[in-house]
Amino acid sequence: MRASDAERERVAEALREAVAEGRLDMEEFEERLDAAYKARTHGELAPLVRDLPTPGARPPAPSAPEASGAVDWRSRIGGPATSRGAFAFWGGFNRRGTWTVGRKFTAFAMWGGGEIDLREARFESAETEIRCFTVMGGMGVTVPPELTVRVRGFGLMGGFGDRATGEGTPGSPRVTVTGFALMGGIGVERKARKAAKRAAEGGARKELG
């Protein structure tokens, strides 16, 4: 069936929302947007948003283990990546919230900065490599306490901080963070997930009560 201008615009809006949320990088976004405006049929439009949520849709509710603060890794490994890289030049980028990390994810920042937050992320593969490179810029990688992490980066007239290397809980993906910082800094640290914080705060209130 032939596609209408309104249907092409709806697909374009879904793509704009996806790139704003970090589900698509700029190269993927531009390729899909160009294809959307050139599409003539529904069959050409559908694949462009098949792996993206409907604009305005709510994210799926967490499972019982997730809601209680535990991590159900089985439900968070597998599925297509929503992002395989990030780039910043005199600006910044962020990848956070519920997104799916590619098996290999490459981030670069020059005269800018970036944030990669894995606390609520899903993983395309149980073995993941995150490559971080910065020139006169800064980058931060935040991981949850339950994740298995190895950090192997280095700095030249800069620093590559490691406050995260260690084993995670059973079934955790294995994430290796590599790369280098030239006259800049990259830091990898552990922070508790929001669900874990809420569960801990709830337990503390019960004890006090």
Side-chain angles (χ1 to χ4, degrees):
M1 185 178 294
R2 302 284 290 187
S4 68
D5 287 341
E7 289 166 331
R8 281 187 282 270
E9 190 55 43
R10 280 197 293 271
V11 169
E13 181 59 30
L15 296 173
R16 293 187 191 102
E17 186 168 320
V19 74
E21 293 175 345
R23 299 180 189 277
L24 295 176
D25 59 32
M26 284 305 299
E27 183 178 353
E28 292 173 308
F29 168 69
E30 289 171 359
E31 289 177 356
R32 294 194 191 193
L33 187 65
D34 182 59
Y37 283 123
K38 290 179 179 177
R40 292 289 176 264
T41 67
H42 289 174
E44 292 173 300
L45 285 174
L48 302 176
V49 292
R50 185 171 292 148
D51 59 346
L52 300 176
T54 303
R58 294 184 178 181
S63 61
E66 296 275 353
S68 67
V71 181
D72 180 10
W73 288 120
R74 291 173 300 176
S75 68
R76 292 176 61 175
I77 300 175
T82 57
S83 183
R84 297 184 185 278
F87 176 83
F89 180 72
W90 280 3
F93 69 81
N94 68 71
R95 297 290 185 273
R96 60 189 175 194
T98 304
W99 62 294
T100 303
V101 191
R103 184 188 308 268
K104 286 191 176 182
F105 181 91
T106 303
F108 178 81
M110 183 173 184
W111 297 329
E115 175 189 0
I116 303 169
D117 192 331
L118 303 181
R119 287 177 292 177
E120 306 297 335
R122 300 176 185 275
F123 299 84
E124 180 184 30
S125 171
E127 294 286 340
T128 300
E129 181 181 4
I130 296 179
R131 298 177 290 186
C132 300
F133 306 95
T134 184
V135 179
M136 291 185 284
M139 200 177 301
V141 181
T142 305
V143 303
E146 302 89 352
L147 190 66
T148 298
V149 179
R150 298 286 182 273
V151 179
R152 297 175 180 170
F154 67 94
L156 179 60
M157 292 187 288
F160 205 115
D162 176 13
R163 299 175 61 186
T165 291
E167 293 297 317
T169 55
S172 159
R174 298 179 62 86
V175 175
T176 302
V177 182
T178 65
F180 70 86
L182 175 61
M183 293 186 287
I186 297 172
V188 188
E189 63 177 342
R190 292 184 183 268
K191 287 185 179 180
R193 294 158 44 255
K194 291 181 180 179
K197 286 182 179 179
R198 287 195 296 267
E201 289 169 357
R205 283 194 294 269
K206 288 181 180 179
E207 289 182 5
L208 290 173

